[in-house]
Amino acid sequence: MLNALTVDVEEYFHPTEVQTAVDQSQWVGLPSRIEDQLHQILQLLDMRRAKATFFVLGWVAERNPRAIQKIVAAGHEIGCHSHSHQLVYSLTPQEFRRDTRRAVTAIEDACGVTPRVYRAPSYSITQESMWALEILVEEGFVSDSSIYPIAHDRYGIPGSHRYPHVIETPAGPIREFPIATVKLSNNRVAPIGGGGYLRLLPYRYTSAGIRRLNRDEHQPACIYFHPWEIDPDQPHLASGLIARARTYTGVKGMIRKLDRLLTEFQFSTLSQVYGEVDRSAAVIAQ
């Protein structure tokens, strides 16, 4: 089965765990590492003949347009990951609209592509920020991949629909592509979507989860990771034991895990994997 691979394109100083230690005003003074990271990723994808959806941060597109152009030239899909990597529920609707518009403009200027699929920083479209979906529709987005159907201290909507579905907003419909989970025997769900779960846990946890989702539930898996997760030489800026463990544990082995994942499973872009979601299958009102 064809699964969806997604990459959240941000610098090593953009993760929410790091922003508690590094103020946004300091970003411009920090050395960029994104081009080398993306070069490794694009090489790996080309070697394994896989495609991916790259959710690009507008801040990165403004400063590294050549790197974004290389993603497009390699035949991958471009999505939007906001402009300044601020949690959606920390913004007002007006601030969110401004941030989204600025991101879209930056991405268009960098590579000539208008993104139509969105992913919120840290999956921060939650029950308290579902209003963001209406704004995304108004701004021309047709798809979103920001809702994680799990319980987490920063994100997630426990009990949310686990398969691709359409959400009806006052401005119109938007397709939602949740990150991969598997259902456990006690009706709870386990996250298997990559990122920190791929870094921190044994490889077999993710691979077994994808096989179970593909085989038992007949559903593709939506997997994600960040370029900084393959970079063991990045500066360690996060402060605090938990933040550092979440951000840097498993980075040294991440590229090998990704290579194995791309060898054992087939991956492509969100649009290629899911196409048009059947409106009769699952339509959920906001």
Side-chain angles (χ1 to χ4, degrees), residues 232-285:
D233 298 321
Q234 67 185 289
H236 286 197
L237 303 177
S239 62
L241 185 62
I242 294 176
R244 291 175 72 87
R246 280 183 170 181
T247 309
Y248 306 119
T249 300
V251 166
K252 288 184 179 180
M254 186 64 163
I255 195 72
R256 292 191 299 273
K257 286 182 176 179
L258 287 170
D259 187 28
R260 188 172 175 185
L261 205 66
L262 292 170
T263 302
E264 294 184 10
F265 300 94
Q266 290 186 302
F267 287 98
S268 191
T269 66
L270 282 171
S271 294
Q272 176 67 32
V273 172
Y274 295 114
E276 292 292 331
V277 173
D278 185 355
R279 292 290 301 277
S280 65
V283 180
I284 299 174

Side-chain angles (χ1 to χ4, degrees), residues 3-286:
N3 297 287
L5 185 65
T6 63
V7 185
D8 294 350
V9 180
E10 60 194 49
E11 290 276 11
Y12 61 94
F13 44 80
H14 286 137
T16 304
E17 296 285 0
V18 177
Q19 289 190 39
T20 59
V22 179
D23 187 79
Q24 188 171 341
S25 63
Q26 299 174 272
W27 291 355
V28 293
L30 295 170
S32 173
R33 299 183 66 84
I34 196 71
E35 282 203 56
D36 287 343
Q37 295 164 356
L38 287 173
H39 178 71
Q40 288 185 65
I41 292 167
L42 291 175
Q43 277 193 320
L44 177 60
L45 293 176
D46 181 62
M47 182 173 64
R48 298 305 178 199
R49 298 183 179 180
K51 298 297 182 185
T53 298
F54 286 75
F55 289 98
V56 177
L57 204 68
W59 195 94
V60 171
E62 287 176 347
R63 290 158 179 81
N64 301 85
R66 185 175 62 177
I68 312 307
Q69 292 162 15
K70 289 180 179 178
I71 296 171
V72 176
H76 301 286
E77 183 175 36
I78 296 292
C80 176
H81 194 40
S82 83
H83 182 271
S84 301
H85 209 279
Q86 304 303 300
L87 299 173
V88 173
Y89 50 73
S90 73
L91 305 175
T92 66
Q94 294 77 18
E95 290 170 335
F96 176 73
R97 190 186 298 274
R98 285 197 296 270
D99 179 90
T100 303
R101 286 182 176 176
R102 186 177 178 187
V104 170
T105 298
I107 294 167
E108 288 175 336
D109 289 346
C111 65
V113 174
T114 301
R116 289 293 177 244
V117 56
Y118 184 88
R119 174 169 290 158
S122 297
Y123 301 100
S124 52
I125 294 184
T126 63
Q127 286 286 15
E128 61 183 285
S129 53
M130 289 291 283
W131 48 261
L133 295 177
E134 179 181 359
I135 294 175
L136 290 176
V137 173
E138 291 172 346
E139 295 301 317
F141 287 88
V142 298
S143 304
D144 176 72
S145 184
S146 304
I147 297 177
Y148 213 150
I150 62 169
H152 189 276
D153 60 347
R154 186 184 300 119
Y155 56 76
I157 303 180
S160 178
H161 204 67
R162 296 175 48 241
Y163 301 158
H165 55 282
V166 174
I167 298 176
E168 291 287 354
T169 79
I174 189 166
R175 300 176 294 174
E176 182 64 36
F177 303 130
I179 299 300
T181 57
V182 292
K183 196 169 186 178
L184 304 178
S185 57
N186 57 4
N187 287 326
R188 298 181 65 185
V189 298
I192 58 162
Y197 302 103
L198 181 58
R199 274 191 295 112
L200 294 164
L201 299 174
Y203 172 80
R204 63 180 178 275
Y205 171 86
T206 299
S207 62
I210 295 175
R211 287 193 177 90
R212 181 169 174 175
L213 188 60
N214 290 171
R215 181 191 63 234
D216 298 344
E217 302 189 47
H218 308 290
Q219 289 289 323
C222 180
I223 305 296
Y224 77 97
F225 69 98
H226 306 84
W228 53 264
E229 290 185 284
I230 68 162
D231 185 359
D233 298 321
Q234 67 185 289
H236 286 197
L237 303 177
S239 62
L241 185 62
I242 294 176
R244 291 175 72 87
R246 280 183 170 181
T247 309
Y248 306 119
T249 300
V251 166
K252 288 184 179 180
M254 186 64 163
I255 195 72
R256 292 191 299 273
K257 286 182 176 179
L258 287 170
D259 187 28
R260 188 172 175 185
L261 205 66
L262 292 170
T263 302
E264 294 184 10
F265 300 94
Q266 290 186 302
F267 287 98
S268 191
T269 66
L270 282 171
S271 294
Q272 176 67 32
V273 172
Y274 295 114
E276 292 292 331
V277 173
D278 185 355
R279 292 290 301 277
S280 65
V283 180
I284 299 174
Q286 182 182 324

